[in-house]
Amino acid sequence: MFHGIIGTPFEVNQGAYDNLTLWEQMDNGEQYTPTKKFLTVVPIVVFLLSTHYTYYDVPTFIINFTAVLIVLIAKLPAFHRVRFFGINMGQNDYN
């Protein structure tokens, strides 16, 4: 959800965040804030819990590991404003 939806639900920002995802809008784009650190740790904890409660089943582990890897890579600062395969590209990003 944080990396898939662009823009804001309200028009109070005069279009400043129209081409940004919710993750990019958080804390005015600053990296490593307490909020972003917490929201990065949550998928890791869920991954560890799901791995434990599935009794370390290999197929389930592979699915969960792939999902957590995708989620964590999207949160890296190197991928701020990066769009893959044209997904979530705003009108101003096509230039």
Side-chain angles (χ1 to χ4, degrees):
M1 180 175 136
F2 290 132
H3 308 287
I5 301 171
I6 61 170
T8 58
F10 309 107
E11 295 297 325
V12 296
N13 60 9
Q14 300 174 351
Y17 298 117
D18 284 349
N19 295 329
L20 298 177
T21 63
L22 180 60
W23 183 260
E24 295 166 343
Q25 294 174 28
M26 293 170 90
D27 302 324
N28 291 324
E30 292 185 32
Q31 303 299 324
Y32 304 116
T33 60
T35 304
K36 286 190 176 184
K37 287 179 184 178
F38 173 76
L39 291 173
T40 301
V41 170
V42 168
I44 296 170
V45 170
V46 170
F47 167 73
L48 293 173
L49 287 172
S50 67
T51 303
H52 175 72
Y53 284 109
T54 57
Y55 302 107
Y56 305 99
D57 181 43
V58 174
T60 308
F61 174 81
I62 292 171
I63 293 169
N64 288 336
F65 183 74
T66 305
V68 80
L69 196 64
I70 291 169
V71 168
L72 292 179
I73 286 175
K75 294 180 186 303
L76 292 175
F79 291 104
H80 183 74
R81 293 182 154 240
V82 173
R83 305 291 185 255
F84 290 109
F85 309 114
I87 298 171
N88 283 340
M89 290 191 73
Q91 294 178 356
N92 297 333
D93 294 336
Y94 287 112
N95 298 333

